[in-house]
Amino acid sequence: MMQYDAGKQPLSLEEITKRLCDPASYAGVYHRPMHDKPMPSVTALADIMERLRALLFPGYYGNSEITPETMVYHMGAGLDHVARLLAEQITRGHCFSCTITDRESCKDCDKQAEEKTMRFLSALPRIRELLASDAQAAYIGDPAARSPGETIFCYPSLTALTHYRIAHELHHLDVRLIPRIITELAHSKTGIDIHPGAEIGSHFFIDHGTGVVIGETSIIGRNVRLYQGVTLGAKSFPKDDSGTLIKGIARHPIVEDDVIIYAGATILGRVTVGKGAVIGGNVWVTEDVPAGARISQKASD
Amino acid sequence: MMQYDAGKQPLSLEEITKRLCDPASYAGVYHRPMHDKPMPSVTALADIMERLRALLFPGYYGNSEITPETMVYHMGAGLDHVARLLAEQITRGHCFSCTITDRESCKDCDKQAEEKTMRFLSALPRIRELLASDAQAAYIGDPAARSPGETIFCYPSLTALTHYRIAHELHHLDVRLIPRIITELAHSKTGIDIHPGAEIGSHFFIDHGTGVVIGETSIIGRNVRLYQGVTLGAKSFPKDDSGTLIKGIARHPIVEDDVIIYAGATILGRVTVGKGAVIGGNVWVTEDVPAGARISQKASD
Amino acid sequence: MMQYDAGKQPLSLEEITKRLCDPASYAGVYHRPMHDKPMPSVTALADIMERLRALLFPGYYGNSEITPETMVYHMGAGLDHVARLLAEQITRGHCFSCTITDRESCKDCDKQAEEKTMRFLSALPRIRELLASDAQAAYIGDPAARSPGETIFCYPSLTALTHYRIAHELHHLDVRLIPRIITELAHSKTGIDIHPGAEIGSHFFIDHGTGVVIGETSIIGRNVRLYQGVTLGAKSFPKDDSGTLIKGIARHPIVEDDVIIYAGATILGRVTVGKGAVIGGNVWVTEDVPAGARISQKASD
Amino acid sequence: MMQYDAGKQPLSLEEITKRLCDPASYAGVYHRPMHDKPMPSVTALADIMERLRALLFPGYYGNSEITPETMVYHMGAGLDHVARLLAEQITRGHCFSCTITDRESCKDCDKQAEEKTMRFLSALPRIRELLASDAQAAYIGDPAARSPGETIFCYPSLTALTHYRIAHELHHLDVRLIPRIITELAHSKTGIDIHPGAEIGSHFFIDHGTGVVIGETSIIGRNVRLYQGVTLGAKSFPKDDSGTLIKGIARHPIVEDDVIIYAGATILGRVTVGKGAVIGGNVWVTEDVPAGARISQKASD
Amino acid sequence: MMQYDAGKQPLSLEEITKRLCDPASYAGVYHRPMHDKPMPSVTALADIMERLRALLFPGYYGNSEITPETMVYHMGAGLDHVARLLAEQITRGHCFSCTITDRESCKDCDKQAEEKTMRFLSALPRIRELLASDAQAAYIGDPAARSPGETIFCYPSLTALTHYRIAHELHHLDVRLIPRIITELAHSKTGIDIHPGAEIGSHFFIDHGTGVVIGETSIIGRNVRLYQGVTLGAKSFPKDDSGTLIKGIARHPIVEDDVIIYAGATILGRVTVGKGAVIGGNVWVTEDVPAGARISQKASD
Amino acid sequence: MMQYDAGKQPLSLEEITKRLCDPASYAGVYHRPMHDKPMPSVTALADIMERLRALLFPGYYGNSEITPETMVYHMGAGLDHVARLLAEQITRGHCFSCTITDRESCKDCDKQAEEKTMRFLSALPRIRELLASDAQAAYIGDPAARSPGETIFCYPSLTALTHYRIAHELHHLDVRLIPRIITELAHSKTGIDIHPGAEIGSHFFIDHGTGVVIGETSIIGRNVRLYQGVTLGAKSFPKDDSGTLIKGIARHPIVEDDVIIYAGATILGRVTVGKGAVIGGNVWVTEDVPAGARISQKASD
């Protein structure tokens, strides 16, 4: 354990500066983007998410006085704004991990980011359709909900899914870093951590949600309901010959349509939870569960 | 599973706008409040909570130089501000779910909101008394706490309970939507999700708190202590003949005075945990627990 | 249970003001700092954390165009700013709990705060070294991570550890209240609750993280990995003769090098988890675990 | 002259409060709007002016990436926003001076404000045409200007005229108080004080502008150019029998087409400066000036 | 004339830094306050002025819903806030020019600032009385004004006089630097430059105002009216034996009750403009003007 | 005079949108920058001026705790920030007026902007020297000034000259539009309008300042003092054969060393005011003035 040095004299500001500027000190924690592109901005992405939310749920977010008559203006103007802002962040995300030092080869970066942005925006009607089904599922699944609108406006499930469904689309477009930041924004706000790579069907609902984790290669069907603290995780992490983890292997569960998983349950590995199964609270699952099964923990005594 | 269409050409901005403005697309996700009242403002409610906190805990929040001599001015001015701001949000919350199209019938809305606001403010001394008992409970219940003041100023338990006790009062006054937003604000910040409808006695303390869920019809006595990840949830969700969940049934636990529930424990259904019982960590309870009982999970091996 | 008084007439603003200004009402919830020092500012501390992050991870945070040539200016200027801001908060934190009424005896407060600040800043190179090892551990430990840089920029683990390692240093310098606020900031953002008093070695990684609790007297070795929902807690809380909890006793686990603890596991009391042990998900541990052991919960059926 | 009382003891905060709350003290300086409408907001009006500027000069102000293809969205959305914001301020302006105590009679206030707003917005194309002519005049009239665009973007003349032409339109619609606040905003920024009631033709240019005053009943033709410090003022202020000034009488100059008035000149009273006349700097004019005349001050010696 | 060096090579950032840090370079433009007190804050003073305006003109500024019933709270709370904020700025202003290096001797600085602040606040009722008379004078003096309230809310004259009358009170209390900053704030906004040292009686009105200058030792009676561009200035600046200007000599005009001075007039030196005199526009006065006289420039021809 | 159409029906929002989007309507008032560069940002330039002020006057502006020991860090970091920000605005200013449609030819734009920025920053020590002389001149020239520091911190003269001297340097580097915006910022704040092209020697002071205009080709020597309302303007504006004004001709006065010009004086055309001359208030000068002459207006009577 590193030794605490409270007894020593404090250093001068000049000396601390010198030490922090020693390349040996900053080697592992210093970042210099290619071609002077600044880092992606978390604040800008939060703003973009607000604007997307206003496009997806008109009246609930953004301008609350929007009417069918003026909708075309607000949608068009909103899309135009978001297109510019998002393309900029996509380029930055790409530059973050880019290793091409030859500036000429990077020439198409901006164009590619713009094209990916337009592809993404083209998917908004489909994303909206999915989120409408999620709002319906939340209303049906929570006895405390009084209307689907209430779930759109104040349920963490809808927040997490709006972020996830947007991030997932960007993930498929091979956008770097940005999807992860978008789901982290929702994770921080709701405690629900869904990896952008997961595949999730329509009518999905997570009640309460704090502590839910849905791993990168999870596949979830339609009409599935989860409660707080549910983990869809990996069981083991195969390493290659050099001992480092192999990335990208399918290692998370498949959850089929109409499954319910109660609070605190943990499902690990590439197992399948069959259609309509119900997994009880705090249950630990590492093998396939047949369709229609009901698995539960016995109460302690 | 919905098919991913990366291969297709992106649409033009004009075409995307058109699709997002198709009534078939926005039907389920568009909100238009009655009589042009804007949506409740989450930002305004966060501000109102800050102001209420300053009224409840003078010196800890708001003006830190408040003295007994100047308190009357700051309390009076603070109440007057918060009265106007809150009444406005209460009206908006009511309009959110209102279905009365005849404007004349809505005439009293503003007056009712003002009256509910004054009723709510009248309860502040009582809410303060409860929160003082909660701060005392936090100090007594956490060996790491050095003073009750420290728990007021930086414990998530006090944040969650301040939001809950305020939301609960508004819930009893039949204020719509606003109580839920107020507890969600605390849920997002602390990971503690208490439904405004729950009844909670004095001297309540939740240590750490992340992942705690306390359902709508829970009843909690005095001097109860919970740890992170505890769920007071529903066991089953009875449906009516048409197959939709029945709303409002008593379906969450009753926890009597002096109970302690350790981390990750799950209590489900309208069961009673008797006075002075201690529920161990990660325990799963779906039946009544007698007073004074000690229930625990055996360590794995 | 306190009785709800909805039926009563609301009070006038004047009357509510009077009641809130009754010393009997505000006695337990009013704070008046010594010598007019204002309360510590959570906003100022969040700002200080941003500045420290920019000093620790140049290019990732703060000015993204920083180069080795200009680093000396940005480090020096950043340190000078943060020194003043932090010293002010340290003084406030001290005054918060100070009980010395004689102003003369307090004369050295400012100087002591400045000295503690310089001691703390002197530790920044060491803190950076630890955090670099944590970023490496996150990259190695998460198959979804594409580079160590990605973990610095968007993993909650790094956020929580940056806050913890800074707070821990301040805790050792006997700074009051401020360390706790700093870890609470991370707790609120990430759902990871690490007490500033815990001792944690290098190469530490917490995946997902929501719901993790690491208690005040925990000791964690090098190269340890935790998953969401893990608790390193206390088992019992010994009381003194007067029945109040005894503060400061070693009551949390010791976790040795190379241990992995999966999601939702709970380790309670001053037990030791031996070097290289692996604790399965949702497991409940209250006794020592030998080095190299693999403990897991059996799947339910 | 009021006597200075430095020698006296300062009062207590309580006593000062009491004195400031004495109705005799606040009688002449206290305002209570009818029916709880808040005061017009200078900040909101400054924001409305920014939005109108973006509608009038697309690309120069507001979204600088606007294109002919997206213009319809940005114009439509911008108009919809500004319509709501402006109608609200117009209502407030009306309430400011309203003396109708019977709330029923005020019922149409909101509707009238909305109608006036739509009438005003209908005039925007005409206002834009006038301002385009003013930009052309500025370019032609100032040897230091490199393009008309430069005058739109950074000349105080265009700022003052944008405010004036908007305020003038509102003045004609009998909007209260708001036009005056709008021209005061420009007065504060540019030092050019044009009363909303003045009539000013196209192609108007004021170089430098500081200190220019154009009174309420002034009439100015086309293609007129003024320099800094020019006054178009009133000569005398007729009083009625009771000795108070008579409001609304035509008392300011008529300046015909193609006139140039140099710095510091003062024209007072309902006199006419004939077409094409040139008035020299610092000149003092209180009688009619024939068309084509050149009037100048002799240099001092 | 200093030679322009565009031809030279630009310096490196390092070299420019070095040159700017050369003591010979910064000698005349570097400020280091005594005892680490920061500089007075122009932003804080602007905020203080807003708060004072809300205390002086309740309902017009600040909380527009203030009522006679709640006034005591808002006045008391507002005074308490402003007292702390202003005392801090007064201390800073004093430190700005302080040359006492011995910290012990400065001990009473804070106390003196607090006492001066209370003395100043004690004068607020009197300042309000004067400003009410000024609003009345503006309403009577401007045919375009529709009510005294309109002049309070949007006339530059009231803005300038509010700043002046406050600054003048502070000037009498021997507060350093702060009064000057306060009148400069109004100068910047209105173009009216009144030195805090000038003495001005009740019922004062400046129409339009841009370019008005009222010098340090001017004395102005009651019921005086000025127009834009009027100068009450000094004629000569006597120097002492060493050739530097002698500070503090009475060198500006005395303007007696009921005088009117029209636009652009210049009155220089310690001359007296007698009661009821009228000075015409652009007139140049350097000698006494008898009571009741009418002085005017002849129109040019 | 354009006819007012209040009687007409207001148009629909759709119709107004259509009219504002008619190319015939926006032709003269629409701007589209080359290559998607956004417009220069007035806000960004105001921020840059704040940063430059902190570099020029350390301790007065920016970080008020700067010491000789930490100065190198703050100067270096400040220069690095300002270099990036300014280069961006310089590029935008260039693009604003650029007419090169071939994107390839624009390739060097960014590099040129960076080089101009470094040339400009290289001049900062010289600019600081001039401004130090201006502060000295203000102190000596105003009997009301108590120290040179006071003039740096709150005199409009120093504000206007700081803006002018910076803009003038950029003007010489052939930077487009930006210098003009910088002097307009000062004009708006102080009422002093100095064209960036004017040449002004050291030890320059403008007292009060409102209404001062110094034209593009003016040349002012050392140790000159002006008062409010002074114009150094052009007498005539020669036109070319096509009738448009010829740009760039020397048309403003030359003012030699040690001249004083009192309030409201107007000097027009390429005349020379000889060394040491004194021009009285409101005087009108259109011919050369010999060295040492004293010119004044006679008082009216």
Side-chain angles (χ1 to χ4, degrees), chain D residues 133-200:
Chain D
S133 80
D134 297 332
Q136 200 60 33
Y139 171 61
I140 289 172
D142 179 12
R146 299 191 179 182
S147 67
E150 191 183 326
T151 70
I152 291 175
F153 193 61
C154 54
Y155 271 45
S157 182
L158 261 288
T159 298
L161 289 172
T162 303
H163 282 245
Y164 155 72
R165 296 207 184 275
I166 284 166
H168 181 62
E169 193 71 32
L170 294 168
H171 175 88
H172 267 299
L173 290 162
D174 200 28
V175 168
R176 312 262 179 90
L177 202 64
I178 306 304
R180 182 67 192 240
I181 298 174
I182 288 173
T183 53
E184 256 320 309
L185 281 168
H187 181 198
S188 174
K189 205 174 164 198
T190 65
I192 300 171
D193 185 1
I194 312 179
H195 195 283
E199 303 281 340
I200 303 180

Side-chain angles (χ1 to χ4, degrees), chain E residues 157-168:
Chain E
S157 182
L158 262 287
T159 299
L161 289 173
T162 304
H163 282 246
Y164 155 72
R165 296 208 184 275
I166 284 166
H168 180 62

Side-chain angles (χ1 to χ4, degrees), chain A residues 2-197:
Chain A
M2 199 147 302
Q3 199 181 339
Y4 180 69
D5 56 2
K8 286 198 231 152
Q9 280 302 310
L11 307 173
S12 69
L13 196 108
E14 195 182 352
E15 180 58 28
I16 304 171
T17 301
K18 211 154 90 187
R19 294 195 184 185
L20 287 174
C21 292
D22 177 356
S25 167
Y26 66 69
V29 295
Y30 167 56
H31 181 73
R32 190 170 184 185
M34 287 290 144
H35 319 319
D36 281 342
K37 255 296 166 205
M39 294 288 286
S41 159
V42 175
T43 310
L45 284 163
D47 171 58
I48 286 167
M49 286 306 301
E50 276 309 295
R51 292 170 183 272
L52 286 170
R53 228 159 54 145
L55 291 171
L56 291 165
F57 305 111
Y60 286 103
Y61 296 105
N63 178 4
S64 68
E65 279 103 355
I66 196 170
T67 64
E69 290 75 36
T70 62
M71 198 170 286
V72 64
Y73 305 129
H74 292 292
M75 289 288 135
L79 284 166
D80 191 41
H81 280 303
V82 104
R84 305 226 170 230
L85 297 170
L86 183 55
E88 169 68 18
Q89 295 302 318
I90 288 177
T91 310
R92 293 187 183 189
H94 187 82
C95 282
F96 176 79
S97 48
C98 176
T99 54
I100 302 168
T101 50
D102 170 23
R103 197 184 268 249
E104 278 310 292
S105 316
C106 288
K107 261 174 131 178
D108 296 331
C109 249
D110 284 347
K111 272 192 196 158
Q112 279 180 33
E114 278 168 34
E115 203 204 302
K116 286 180 181 184
T117 298
M118 289 315 291
R119 279 188 190 283
F120 164 73
L121 294 179
S122 300
L124 279 183
R126 186 160 42 78
I127 290 173
R128 184 196 265 174
E129 198 183 328
L130 285 165
L131 289 168
S133 80
D134 298 332
Q136 199 62 31
Y139 171 60
I140 289 172
D142 179 13
R146 300 192 179 182
S147 67
E150 191 183 326
T151 72
I152 291 175
F153 193 61
C154 52
Y155 271 46
S157 184
L158 261 288
T159 299
L161 290 172
T162 303
H163 281 245
Y164 154 73
R165 296 205 183 277
I166 283 166
H168 181 62
E169 194 70 32
L170 293 168
H171 175 88
H172 268 299
L173 291 162
D174 201 28
V175 169
R176 313 261 179 89
L177 203 64
I178 305 305
R180 181 68 192 241
I181 298 173
I182 288 172
T183 52
E184 258 317 311
L185 281 168
H187 181 199
S188 174
K189 206 176 164 195
T190 66
I192 300 171
D193 185 0
I194 311 178
H195 195 283

Side-chain angles (χ1 to χ4, degrees), chain E residues 6 8 11 25 187 193 231 247, chain F residues 119 122 128 143 145 210 228:
Chain E
K8 285 198 230 151
L11 306 173
S25 167
H187 182 198
D193 185 0
T231 292
K247 316 242 158 185
Chain F
R119 279 189 190 284
S122 301
R128 185 195 264 173
T210 315
Q228 70 273 18

Side-chain angles (χ1 to χ4, degrees), chain B residues 184-294:
Chain B
E184 258 317 310
L185 281 168
H187 181 199
S188 174
K189 206 175 165 196
T190 65
I192 299 171
D193 185 0
I194 311 178
H195 195 284
E199 302 282 340
I200 302 180
S202 69
H203 298 83
F204 187 55
F205 175 46
I206 303 171
D207 204 0
H208 309 298
T210 315
V212 163
V213 172
I214 298 176
E216 184 180 18
T217 62
S218 305
I219 298 174
I220 297 177
R222 276 177 297 184
N223 201 32
V224 170
R225 197 191 326 152
L226 307 186
Y227 287 82
Q228 71 274 18
V230 165
T231 293
L232 304 184
K235 196 171 159 186
S236 63
F237 301 85
K239 298 181 180 179
D240 62 19
D241 296 345
S242 68
T244 53
L245 294 175
I246 304 174
K247 316 240 159 185
I249 289 178
R251 61 196 184 279
H252 299 98
I254 295 169
V255 177
E256 295 184 348
D257 295 356
D258 306 321
V259 167
I260 299 176
I261 308 178
Y262 285 104
T266 306
I267 328 250
L268 297 185
R270 191 53 156 195
V271 300
T272 296
V273 179
K275 183 174 158 65
V278 176
I279 311 292
N282 282 16
V283 165
W284 174 260
V285 176
T286 57
E287 292 176 10
D288 284 358
V289 174
R294 308 193 124 248

